[in-house]
Amino acid sequence: MSAPNPARRNERTRRAILDATLALLAETGYADLTIGAIAARAGAGRQTIYRWWGGKGAIVLDALVDAVEVTGMTLADSGDLAADLRLVLRATVAEFADPRISETTRAITIETLIDADLAGQVRDRLLRPQLDAVKDRLRAGQRAGQVRDDLNLDLAVELLFGPLYHRWLLRTGPLTERYADGLVDLAVAAMRPAH
Amino acid sequence: MSAPNPARRNERTRRAILDATLALLAETGYADLTIGAIAARAGAGRQTIYRWWGGKGAIVLDALVDAVEVTGMTLADSGDLAADLRLVLRATVAEFADPRISETTRAITIETLIDADLAGQVRDRLLRPQLDAVKDRLRAGQRAGQVRDDLNLDLAVELLFGPLYHRWLLRTGPLTERYADGLVDLAVAAMRPAH
């Protein structure tokens, strides 16, 4: 019998901790989430958690980065810009419909409003990869003549995600696939080359 | 000498309390804001504050509704839709550049993420009047043929405010007049009738 692989065991423990965090957030909310409860649910030691993470906010961010599979994210290029963007916005709507992800995102949003350092990490690790993936797709759209050459791409990606985030955070209306599709249609109309 | 007018005195006290709240928020932030500090700064009794407001969140909401002059808000109709919308978005950018309003809005956003009842009040008293004023202007634009007849106006107002709010809350980029103008141009392009 070979010795257990410490790297694999560490990865299993890490996964168990992140899963426990998401589950507890959905059950009890961020305010009542404790390191002790995460440790108990994950079958891990509190010391392990304290060694690997600075605090509650940092664990929750890692859980979220994991859950939305943001690392190395790219968009498909089917040649149909609106169709490709619909997939992304529908996926985001679906994530917000998942109470584990929705509650976790609310929790992390609160933390970022309080903690500027964590805010920077959320922006760079969670948000930027998603915005950059969409920007890459829009750049391909520019090359294909579907998107105005002079379009400000930072502004354009916010035109897609800003309204959705606004509606979710402030609960001003339902978040449905139909909403996602309508938003994409409007944004694509805004990006189209003048003719 | 006539007797002092109690209604006027109450209004003066109310104003002093709301002003003290905004000033303290900018100085100390929401977490350290206390009813005692507000009372001391306003020269008012703590009992008066507890009698008039349910808590910190309720005072801050009133201060904010007052500061952004949201009640009875309407948009000018100059005949130039983009120009009229630029005024609104530039004003919003200017409000977020004011640390008193920006910090207060951040504080109330945190509270709305925690307190669903307050969230409803913020939506209905602070947000809706602004969104509705813009919707009215877009409706006039529809009558004047500047805006697509089939435009979903709820979606359209979010296309204006969502990106701005997203950028402000998540600090993904600078909030300038130039940004406001670029956003209006994109949104107006999205709303234009097909031709």
Side-chain angles (χ1 to χ4, degrees), chain B residues 9 15 21 63 74 140 148 157:
Chain B
R9 200 180 50 209
R15 272 252 50 86
T21 302
T74 54
R148 267 171 42 202
V157 291

Side-chain angles (χ1 to χ4, degrees), chain B residues 33-57:
Chain B
L33 182 72
T34 64
I35 303 289
I38 296 173
R41 173 76 65 108
R46 294 164 61 113
Q47 287 315 313
T48 305
I49 298 183
Y50 283 119
R51 199 160 57 237
W52 289 353
W53 286 281
K56 223 161 79 164

Side-chain angles (χ1 to χ4, degrees), chain A residues 192-195, chain B residues 195:
Chain A
R192 232 188 312 261
H195 52 147
Chain B
H195 52 144

Side-chain angles (χ1 to χ4, degrees), chain B residues 17 41 46 49 55-56 61 68 74 89 97 151 153 168 173-174 178-179 182 188:
Chain B
I17 291 168
R41 173 76 65 108
R46 294 164 61 113
I49 298 183
K56 223 161 79 164
L61 173 60
V68 304
T74 54
L89 265 75
L151 183 69
L153 296 185
W168 166 73
R178 191 191 160 94
Y179 169 76
V188 167

Side-chain angles (χ1 to χ4, degrees), chain A residues 106 110 113-114 123 127-128 151 155 158-159 162-163 165-167 169-172 179 182-183 186 190, chain B residues 106 110 113-114 123 127-128 151 155 158-159 162-163 165-167 169-172 179 182-183 186 190:
Chain A
R106 261 177 219 284
I110 294 174
L113 287 166
I114 296 165
R123 191 184 53 219
L127 210 56
R128 285 265 184 245
L151 184 68
L155 225 165
E158 289 175 352
L159 207 63
Y165 186 78
H166 187 264
R167 178 173 282 222
L169 197 66
L170 303 168
R171 305 176 204 258
T172 47
Y179 169 77
L183 182 52
L186 267 185
Chain B
R106 261 178 218 284
I110 294 174
L113 287 166
I114 297 165
R123 192 184 51 220
L127 209 57
R128 285 266 183 245
L151 183 69
L155 225 165
E158 289 174 353
L159 207 63
Y165 186 77
H166 187 263
R167 179 173 280 223
L169 197 64
L170 303 169
R171 307 178 204 254
T172 48
Y179 169 76
L183 182 53
L186 266 186

Side-chain angles (χ1 to χ4, degrees), chain B:
Chain B
M1 219 174 103
S2 65
N5 179 333
R8 196 177 304 159
R9 200 180 50 209
N10 278 353
E11 178 50 30
R12 219 163 30 221
T13 305
R14 186 180 160 278
R15 272 252 50 86
I17 291 168
L18 298 184
D19 285 346
T21 302
L22 286 180
L24 286 168
L25 274 170
E27 289 168 23
T28 65
Y30 187 77
D32 293 329
L33 182 72
T34 64
I35 303 289
I38 296 173
R41 173 76 65 108
R46 294 164 61 113
Q47 287 315 313
T48 305
I49 298 183
Y50 283 119
R51 199 160 57 237
W52 289 353
W53 286 281
K56 223 161 79 164
I59 304 178
V60 170
L61 173 60
D62 273 4
L64 209 48
V65 168
D66 235 59
V68 304
E69 294 173 3
V70 85
T71 312
M73 183 184 173
T74 54
L75 259 66
D77 185 348
S78 70
D80 181 343
L81 178 63
D84 295 345
L85 293 176
R86 271 196 292 272
L87 286 181
V88 182
L89 265 75
R90 285 178 175 196
T92 307
V93 163
E95 278 162 14
F96 282 146
D98 176 342
R100 300 205 318 170
I101 295 183
S102 184
E103 283 316 302
T104 310
T105 307
R106 261 178 218 284
I108 207 80
T109 301
I110 294 174
E111 283 294 298
T112 63
L113 287 166
I114 297 165
D115 178 343
D117 177 57
L118 186 70
Q121 284 196 48
V122 167
R123 192 184 51 220
D124 296 339
R125 292 182 52 209
L126 187 63
L127 209 57
R128 285 266 183 245
Q130 302 183 65
L131 300 181
D132 285 349
V134 175
K135 272 167 77 171
D136 284 344
R137 179 63 189 85
L138 296 181
R139 233 173 253 120
Q142 286 179 319
R143 286 191 297 271
Q146 304 155 331
V147 171
R148 267 171 42 202
D149 278 330
D150 63 343
L151 183 69
N152 179 329
L153 296 185
D154 287 315
L155 225 165
V157 291
E158 289 174 353
L159 207 63
L160 289 160
F161 289 106
L164 203 156
Y165 186 77
H166 187 263
R167 179 173 280 223
W168 166 73
L169 197 64
L170 303 169
R171 307 178 204 254
T172 48
L175 276 183
T176 59
E177 287 209 342
R178 191 191 160 94
Y179 169 76
D181 293 355
L183 182 53
V184 167
D185 285 345
L186 266 186
V188 167
M191 299 176 198
R192 233 187 314 261
H195 52 144

